[in-house]
Amino acid sequence: MASALVVGGPRRPAGKREPTQELEEINATRAAVSLPLEILVLIFSNLLSSSPPKKGAGIELGWIRVTHVCHRWREAAISAAILWTRITDLGPEWTRVSLERAGNAPLRLDRYEVNSDTSPPVEDIASRLAQMRVLPIIGSHDILRPLLDRLHGPAPRLESLKVVVHGEEEQAQNHPMCEVRGSLLNGSGGPLRHLWLKNVFFQWNNFKFSGLVSLSIHYREHRYYTNGEETRLPSVPSMIAIIREMANLEELRLTNAMYASDSEELRHDSEPLSLPRLQDFLIDQNKTIGAAFLRNVIVKPQTSMKVYCVESTNPAWETDEDIRTLLNFMANLIPSPETYECCSDCDSNGHAGCDPCPYLCYQFILVPGGGFEVIKRSHDTLYESCHLRLPTDDSDDWLPRLKTVFSTMPQDRLTVIEMRNEVGVSIDEWTEVFMTTGLSWPKVHGLLVELDHNCSFLIALLDLQAEAIPSLQLIVIDAEEGLALDMLDEIAECIVSARERGVPLERIGLRMSPDSEGVEQWKNMLAAVVPKFRYSTEAETGQGLYESPSFAMTLFGESESEEDVDGDEDEGEGEWSEDEDAEDETSAANLPGTVHVLD
């Protein structure tokens, strides 16, 4: 147990449990020991936040070590119930002591992944539900059953509840349903602000938690259920009615949380659901339910959105209203142009007295196996403001998908395009998509092409008239898996032709491993056909156009000192290669070997 050693003073005589009169008199003269109890408790509270107890290879007591300093400190700590209300699993004895010293004070449980050896047992936690202020608990159905059986009761102090029943996704047949036998928390949230439930069924008709700030409801895919459990989930109109009462909602995550039968006609709600405070929104449903929900929801453009339709289906892309609803919802999450307009003579980085021009990036990810993802970033180059995952289509025909997506995106607002063409859509197919959709990107100044071995997207785009891409100044090719050497001449001719037709292409960057076949030929060719070329050995899919800081430093042509260039070389970067005396119209005859590029 604790000792009563006096800081800097003599040790307690061996075998004695209480401090001697002499030691008490010494303590009384020490300012740190004789502080008022209220001040000591405040100090210990701060120490509790910065140094909580932990359980690893052994038990790290953290702040509890103050009880080993002197008798007065020990008495101050033990008598302050607030110091013992944060329950961490340090073993049966420590947990018992903490609960005992906390008395009837509100309890906060640390993230608690329970098993048969966990202390305290779930039964003890369930018995103290009325005391709980923060309760995050994770475990299997069988172990969590005692708590689930009590979640219908009131919890007048509960501010945050997280119950995750794991392992259900792997049990596709005849698993026991995790159900609250009655209204969740007696049908009233009290001070509840945060609610996260996974694989927990309850009575939705009494779900009334108007004070929630965050709500996360997660169920497994409906195809895993064998006894019709999914039919107990709320319909789209019911979920809208439930959420409508949550005026302060800032975070909403719904995964397979709504149900609609195949014969049900999903209607529009009479009054759209407005969520003006929502900052983070995830919906993961099949496209029909997801689209029906989003048709009735209004969120502010700054909301971070994730819309996932992870289902294997082959929709009629060009006529499917649900698909267009999803794409249009994403396109509408864009601030109005006048909000971020910039003066006409400002470049992409802005200048003194002027904010940067609007930044709107669309990234298209074509995934082998039929997956199609569209990601939007705006105003912050690293911030993903919307992620749309469309249904999987195992057809080899990508044209309907591409035509549908390209015809719905906001072409006049885009400034950056990132294309990952891992599936190898051909030049002719891209050309048909561009012609059919009347592609016009008047403000696109930057382009990133990834995993496009034959550069088919780039060739088709640069073959367009200059009026379609009048602002394209920068191209970055990320060739993590290399580039086809037999495309060298065609790419060179395509770039030269585009520049001659008036496309203001001045900079090209190449990210490619120095061990890749033909890397020197590609470097020399690109350096010869554009005024400025930059090479990086840091080829890595997913960096984005501007996400590699050292590579992005000179993307817009800022001047570099000799030290900057040397520093880049140390990091595996090259510099922009530029011939100041060269004509802009570089001919294809001046290709490989004419320009020296620093590695």
Side-chain angles (χ1 to χ4, degrees):
M1 296 295 291
S3 67
L5 295 179
V6 180
V7 178
R11 294 181 179 272
R12 178 193 305 162
K16 287 202 173 184
R17 302 292 297 173
E18 296 297 329
T20 64
Q21 181 68 30
E22 179 185 2
L23 292 179
E24 289 182 354
E25 291 175 356
I26 294 175
N27 279 340
T29 66
R30 299 181 180 276
V33 175
S34 59
L35 285 171
L37 290 179
E38 296 82 357
I39 301 300
L40 284 174
V41 172
L42 284 175
I43 294 172
F44 296 164
S45 296
N46 287 332
L47 190 58
L48 167 62
S49 300
S50 61
S51 182
K54 300 176 183 178
K55 183 179 180 181
I59 295 177
E60 297 180 19
L61 293 182
W63 79 272
I64 297 178
R65 289 176 297 176
V66 302
T67 64
H68 297 185
V69 173
C70 69
H71 184 70
R72 179 176 171 77
W73 281 21
R74 178 176 175 79
E75 283 189 336
I78 291 177
S79 62
I82 192 173
L83 297 176
W84 304 95
T85 57
R86 181 171 179 175
I87 308 301
T88 302
D89 185 6
L90 300 179
E93 182 60 23
W94 272 111
T95 302
R96 183 193 62 77
V97 167
S98 295
L99 289 173
E100 181 180 296
R101 292 174 180 175
N104 294 320
L107 300 175
R108 169 176 178 161
L109 199 69
D110 282 345
R111 183 184 184 276
Y112 218 62
E113 187 155 2
V114 297
N115 54 53
S116 57
D117 299 324
T118 303
S119 176
V122 175
E123 290 85 349
D124 291 351
I125 295 173
S127 67
R128 289 178 176 260
L129 182 62
Q131 258 184 275
M132 289 292 174
R133 185 173 65 86
V134 177
L135 175 54
I137 191 165
I138 302 170
S140 67
H141 167 269
D142 293 339
I143 292 179
L144 291 180
R145 185 73 264 173
L147 176 64
L148 295 172
D149 286 343
R150 287 183 179 246
L151 280 181
H152 64 277
R157 294 172 167 175
L158 198 60
E159 299 173 14
S160 177
L161 174 64
K162 178 177 182 178
V163 180
V164 174
V165 181
H166 62 56
E168 296 297 322
E169 286 80 357
E170 293 76 24
Q171 301 176 25
Q173 298 293 329
N174 299 321
H175 68 281
M177 186 171 68
C178 305
E179 182 178 14
V180 176
R181 297 169 183 170
S183 301
L184 183 67
L185 301 181
N186 202 32
S188 176
L192 192 67
R193 296 293 177 268
H194 307 277
L195 178 61
W196 181 329
L197 299 175
K198 181 176 180 180
N199 295 325
V200 178
F201 285 85
F202 50 88
Q203 295 179 5
W204 283 92
N205 56 331
N206 291 320
F207 191 82
K208 301 182 186 301
F209 298 96
S210 58
L212 286 182
V213 173
S214 65
L215 171 64
S216 178
I217 304 292
H218 184 122
Y219 295 97
R220 58 191 191 147
E221 292 182 51
H222 296 170
R223 60 190 175 92
Y224 285 113
Y225 294 114
T226 57
N227 299 314
E229 292 92 341
E230 72 279 8
T231 62
R232 302 186 56 178
L233 299 177
S235 65
V236 172
S238 296
M239 182 63 81
I240 290 174
I242 289 168
I243 296 175
R244 193 185 302 281
E245 303 300 319
M246 303 175 189
N248 298 320
L249 208 58
E250 297 177 2
E251 180 181 23
L252 175 61
R253 295 171 175 265
L254 302 174
T255 300
N256 301 313
M258 293 171 280
Y259 172 76
S261 65
D262 294 337
S263 60
E264 182 177 350
E265 182 177 349
L266 297 176
R267 63 177 176 81
H268 287 264
D269 196 72
S270 58
E271 181 183 354
L273 170 62
S274 179
L275 300 170
R277 298 189 180 185
L278 199 64
Q279 301 174 12
D280 190 352
F281 181 22
L282 179 147
I283 181 168
D284 187 346
Q285 293 273 176
N286 66 49
K287 70 177 179 64
T288 302
I289 294 178
F293 187 83
L294 293 179
R295 287 190 187 103
N296 296 283
V297 173
I298 300 174
V299 299
K300 59 186 179 182
Q302 294 79 10
T303 303
S304 175
M305 290 287 304
K306 292 180 176 62
V307 181
Y308 298 152
C309 299
V310 186
E311 57 179 334
S312 297
T313 179
N314 295 357
W317 288 89
E318 294 175 273
T319 58
D320 192 303
E321 289 301 318
D322 293 335
I323 295 290
R324 290 195 173 271
T325 294
L326 299 175
L327 291 167
N328 287 329
F329 188 88
M330 180 179 189
N332 291 334
L333 286 175
I334 299 173
S336 58
E338 55 271 9
T339 306
Y340 295 99
E341 282 298 337
C342 188
C343 58
S344 58
D345 60 346
C346 174
D347 63 19
S348 302
N349 284 329
H351 54 65
C354 180
D355 292 330
C357 288
Y359 178 95
L360 180 59
C361 170
Y362 261 42
Q363 181 183 59
F364 303 95
I365 304 176
L366 282 55
V367 183
F372 198 161
E373 300 179 28
V374 186
I375 297 173
K376 177 174 75 71
R377 296 195 298 274
S378 55
H379 310 305
D380 181 339
T381 60
L382 303 182
Y383 176 66
E384 183 179 297
S385 56
C386 190
H387 187 168
L388 172 61
R389 189 176 297 163
L390 293 168
T392 300
D393 187 336
D394 57 10
S395 168
D396 293 331
D397 186 5
W398 280 86
L399 283 176
R401 282 168 275 186
L402 293 170
K403 290 177 181 178
T404 301
V405 172
F406 274 64
S407 65
T408 56
M409 62 182 173
Q411 298 190 26
D412 61 336
R413 297 292 317 285
L414 296 173
T415 58
V416 171
I417 296 292
E418 298 176 357
M419 173 59 67
R420 189 177 305 172
N421 184 26
E422 191 173 359
V423 300
V425 176
S426 69
I427 297 172
D428 291 341
E429 288 174 314
W430 283 121
T431 300
E432 182 177 342
V433 171
F434 296 159
M435 294 298 102
T436 303
T437 60
L439 185 135
S440 176
W441 288 337
K443 296 184 179 180
V444 169
H445 63 261
L447 170 67
L448 169 67
V449 181
E450 298 179 305
L451 300 181
D452 195 356
H453 187 66
N454 293 315
C455 296
S456 56
F457 178 82
L458 179 59
I459 292 173
L461 186 68
L462 293 181
D463 275 344
L464 295 174
Q465 295 297 318
E467 292 78 11
I469 45 175
S471 303
L472 184 59
Q473 303 175 31
L474 167 70
I475 292 174
V476 173
I477 302 171
D478 192 296
E480 183 178 0
E481 298 183 0
L483 295 172
L485 267 175
D486 58 2
M487 301 301 295
L488 267 172
D489 291 342
E490 187 168 357
I491 288 290
E493 293 172 4
C494 189
I495 294 172
V496 170
S497 175
R499 284 172 47 78
E500 289 175 344
R501 295 195 314 275
V503 178
L505 181 56
E506 297 181 350
R507 301 173 178 85
I508 288 185
L510 175 66
R511 299 171 182 164
M512 194 172 182
S513 169
D515 300 326
S516 299
E517 181 182 3
V519 62
E520 292 300 322
Q521 291 96 316
W522 276 98
K523 288 164 56 178
N524 288 333
M525 181 275 286
L526 293 172
V529 296
V530 290
K532 296 180 181 179
F533 168 71
R534 184 172 176 81
Y535 169 70
S536 170
T537 62
E538 296 177 358
E540 183 180 350
T541 303
Q543 290 186 83
L545 186 62
Y546 300 120
E547 291 183 22
S548 175
S550 55
F551 187 62
M553 256 176 51
T554 54
L555 284 175
F556 287 108
E558 296 92 336
S559 61
E560 286 183 315
S561 66
E562 189 65 33
E563 290 77 9
D564 291 333
V565 174
D566 291 341
D568 283 347
E569 289 184 79
D570 291 340
E571 297 177 11
E573 303 285 354
E575 65 173 350
W576 287 111
S577 174
E578 180 175 9
D579 184 352
E580 296 179 355
D581 300 323
E583 295 288 338
D584 285 345
E585 294 80 10
T586 308
S587 68
N590 295 327
L591 291 182
T594 59
V595 178
H596 176 65
V597 184
L598 293 180
D599 295 337

